[in-house]
Amino acid sequence: MAESTQNISNSNNTLIWLKRGVWLYFYLLLFEGALRKWVLPGLSDALLIVRDPLAILLLFFAWKANILKLNGYITVMTFIGVASIITTFLTGHQNLFVTIYGARILLIQFPFIFLIGTVFDKSDVLQIGKQMLWIALPMTILITLQFYSPQSAWVNRGVGGDMEGAGFSGALGYFRPPGTFSFTNGNTFFYQLLACFILMFWLMPKYINKLILVLATICLVIAIPISISRTLLFSVIIALVFYFSALYFRPQFFKKLFLFLASLMIVGIIVSNLEFLDTATEAFTSRFENASESEGGLEGTLVDRYLGGFISAISNSQNIPFFGYGLGMGTNAGSQLLTGGTTFLIAEEEWARTIGEMGLILGLGVILIRVFLSTSFGFKSFKALKKQNAVPWMLLSFVLLIVPQGQWAQPTALGFAVFVTGLMIASFQPTSSTSN
């Protein structure tokens, strides 16, 4: 009896430490770029994969404590990962370090999704959401400073202390700000996830301080033009669609709808009177119009980007070796190791990169796992929504954008995909006694 009690105590202690490890993963995801740019620029290359050793450590202790259980997704992805390592050395580029860098996506980060979903529960997800809302305030101030500052300014310093700046071409001579991230896509992902949590708390306002909720909503609205990111705008629109569909299943539908629209109108009035946003709005509008014209409007921007990538990846696979060119070759880091420069050796699009690295059979297997995972969570989220649990449903609005076709070759995109999918799994879990 005493031994059984001791085992339970040890398991609980391990679970607590695993939760703290997941929180550390979260903070490293948000501030890894800040470390690489401002705090430890000399270690920028090593910090690129700083979350991987943490994930390995947490996976080891979860396995040792029998907390993380194998499932079909992990088993199949592990098989594909191991098979791809073998084929990389048999017929691919045969570079050990590039192979390890590519394999870590399948063998480390993908299983970590389920570790997050196992050790976290719904209350932990809400705590993450509260942290996101608080962080939104200084993050929005930072990206505003970056937008209006020259690229030579300290706030715009690039990875490794690069004085050319970390901003990316935007419009009218203004650059897309990266926030605390290494690249501007991290800033977009941050506000995409923030939009999920903001709308989630508008559905469940009793879980959050009302003033913080309003301020975070203002920050999100400000961030859209400041970011000069059409992706952010489209993702917020999609999140709103999910919000209104979730609202339909809530009690007092019309009353909640009126309160949200009234609050949104007040936020809009406040933001429209902020003079410093005029320039940003002009730049964002110019970027939107120019890019839409070059891509053929909304259809070219959304349909071709999302669905066309799958068709082109399959059709172009006839020019690719049966087992592909090898794991990691399609990543920027892999390109740097193989050629000394950062270029797309295979393809920029995710599905084309996946098939290009692993070949049609194994690559298509990875794609189908990601699509099936997202689809199955979609059905499960809808069932939870009808039972008044809107948390996974709101997270689904982001998961559907970043998991099936998100560019996992890029560490920040991979980190957000892993983390938000893990949060979605956790949001199905009832609150445990170890939650803080």
Side-chain angles (χ1 to χ4, degrees):
M1 182 68 180
E3 183 179 352
S4 176
T5 303
Q6 182 64 35
N7 289 336
I8 294 174
S9 177
N10 290 338
S11 179
N12 287 336
N13 288 335
T14 302
L15 187 59
I16 291 171
W17 280 104
L18 288 173
K19 282 194 175 190
R20 291 173 179 173
V22 174
W23 273 96
L24 179 57
Y25 186 99
F26 167 67
Y27 287 123
L28 286 174
L29 176 61
L30 297 190
F31 301 112
E32 161 245 309
L35 294 174
R36 300 180 69 204
K37 294 187 294 185
W38 302 317
V39 182
L40 298 169
L43 298 175
S44 61
D45 290 342
L47 289 169
L48 176 66
I49 55 172
V50 68
R51 294 186 305 276
D52 290 292
L54 173 63
I56 293 173
L57 188 65
L58 296 177
L59 285 168
F60 172 75
F61 282 110
W63 168 78
K64 187 177 179 181
N66 200 30
I67 290 175
L68 178 62
K69 307 291 185 182
L70 285 179
N71 57 41
Y73 294 111
I74 297 177
T75 301
V76 175
M77 191 68 90
T78 300
F79 171 80
I80 293 176
V82 173
S84 296
I85 291 174
I86 295 172
T87 58
T88 296
F89 283 101
L90 290 177
T91 63
H93 56 71
Q94 301 178 345
N95 185 295
L96 175 62
F97 296 105
V98 175
T99 304
I100 293 173
Y101 187 80
R104 82 192 211 289
I105 298 173
L106 309 179
L107 302 181
I108 299 172
Q109 294 293 336
F110 185 80
F112 194 71
I113 290 173
F114 299 94
L115 185 145
I116 297 173
T118 300
V119 303
F120 265 21
D121 57 38
K122 183 179 175 182
S123 66
D124 296 304
V125 176
L126 294 177
Q127 287 297 322
I128 290 287
K130 292 176 183 178
Q131 286 288 302
M132 288 285 294
L133 265 63
W134 278 102
I135 295 172
L137 307 181
M139 185 71 80
T140 305
I141 294 173
L142 174 61
I143 66 169
T144 303
L145 290 173
Q146 289 174 331
F147 179 87
Y148 285 105
S149 299
Q151 287 299 293
S152 58
W154 183 82
V155 290
N156 281 320
R157 190 165 297 176
V159 169
D162 184 4
M163 297 301 295
E164 292 186 5
F168 193 69
S169 178
L172 303 180
Y174 290 91
F175 291 79
R176 285 175 260 181
T180 58
F181 301 93
S182 302
F183 190 61
T184 56
N185 70 330
N187 183 59
T188 300
F189 292 139
F190 172 82
Y191 283 99
Q192 284 182 261
L193 182 55
L194 178 68
C196 296
F197 281 117
I198 286 174
L199 294 172
M200 181 189 304
F201 284 123
W202 276 111
L203 284 170
M204 306 178 299
K206 67 178 181 179
Y207 290 100
I208 190 72
N209 179 284
K210 306 301 186 299
L211 178 60
I212 294 300
L213 179 57
V214 171
L215 291 175
T217 305
I218 292 174
C219 288
L220 176 62
V221 176
I222 290 174
I224 294 175
I226 289 289
S227 69
I228 323 182
S229 171
R230 295 175 304 147
T231 300
L232 177 57
L233 174 62
F234 292 142
S235 64
V236 171
I237 292 174
I238 291 171
L240 281 169
V241 171
F242 274 73
Y243 169 82
F244 287 121
S245 61
L247 195 62
Y248 178 78
F249 291 93
R250 309 295 289 185
Q252 299 178 306
F253 165 73
F254 289 107
K255 178 182 177 181
K256 292 181 182 293
L257 177 63
F258 173 78
L259 289 175
F260 175 75
L261 293 177
S263 301
L264 198 61
M265 185 178 299
I266 294 172
V267 168
I269 293 173
I270 294 173
V271 172
S272 64
N273 284 283
L274 298 176
E275 295 183 4
F276 74 89
L277 275 183
D278 292 344
T279 302
T281 303
E282 185 179 353
F284 176 77
T285 303
S286 175
R287 161 70 182 162
F288 194 97
E289 292 174 350
N290 293 338
S292 293
E293 289 176 3
S294 64
E295 294 180 359
L298 186 63
E299 180 182 354
T301 301
L302 294 180
V303 179
D304 290 347
R305 270 192 179 189
Y306 201 84
L307 298 179
F310 184 77
I311 298 173
S312 62
I314 298 296
S315 61
N316 293 334
S317 64
Q318 59 185 348
N319 302 319
I320 296 171
F322 185 78
F323 289 117
Y325 294 106
L327 285 173
M329 187 173 177
T331 66
N332 283 338
S335 172
Q336 181 71 38
L337 290 170
L338 290 171
T339 68
T342 54
T343 184
F344 295 107
L345 294 178
I346 295 178
E348 183 177 2
E349 296 78 15
E350 177 66 4
W351 287 342
R353 177 198 67 82
T354 303
I355 292 177
E357 285 191 356
M358 290 176 275
L360 180 61
I361 303 301
L362 295 177
L364 191 59
V366 171
I367 292 172
L368 291 177
I369 288 173
R370 290 167 60 170
V371 171
F372 186 76
L373 182 69
S374 306
T375 304
S376 61
F377 284 160
F379 287 114
K380 191 173 181 180
S381 297
F382 185 69
K383 291 180 180 179
L385 175 63
K386 292 194 292 185
K387 296 179 180 178
Q388 300 303 307
N389 180 10
V391 178
W393 179 253
M394 291 310 307
L395 291 174
L396 180 67
S397 66
F398 190 13
V399 166
L400 291 180
L401 296 177
I402 199 170
V403 173
Q405 203 187 25
Q407 294 181 320
W408 286 13
Q410 204 278 333
T412 304
L414 175 63
F416 271 98
V418 167
F419 195 73
V420 72
T421 310
L423 291 183
M424 167 173 276
I425 299 173
S427 65
F428 296 115
Q429 309 290 345
T431 302
S432 67
S433 59
T434 57
S435 298
N436 294 322

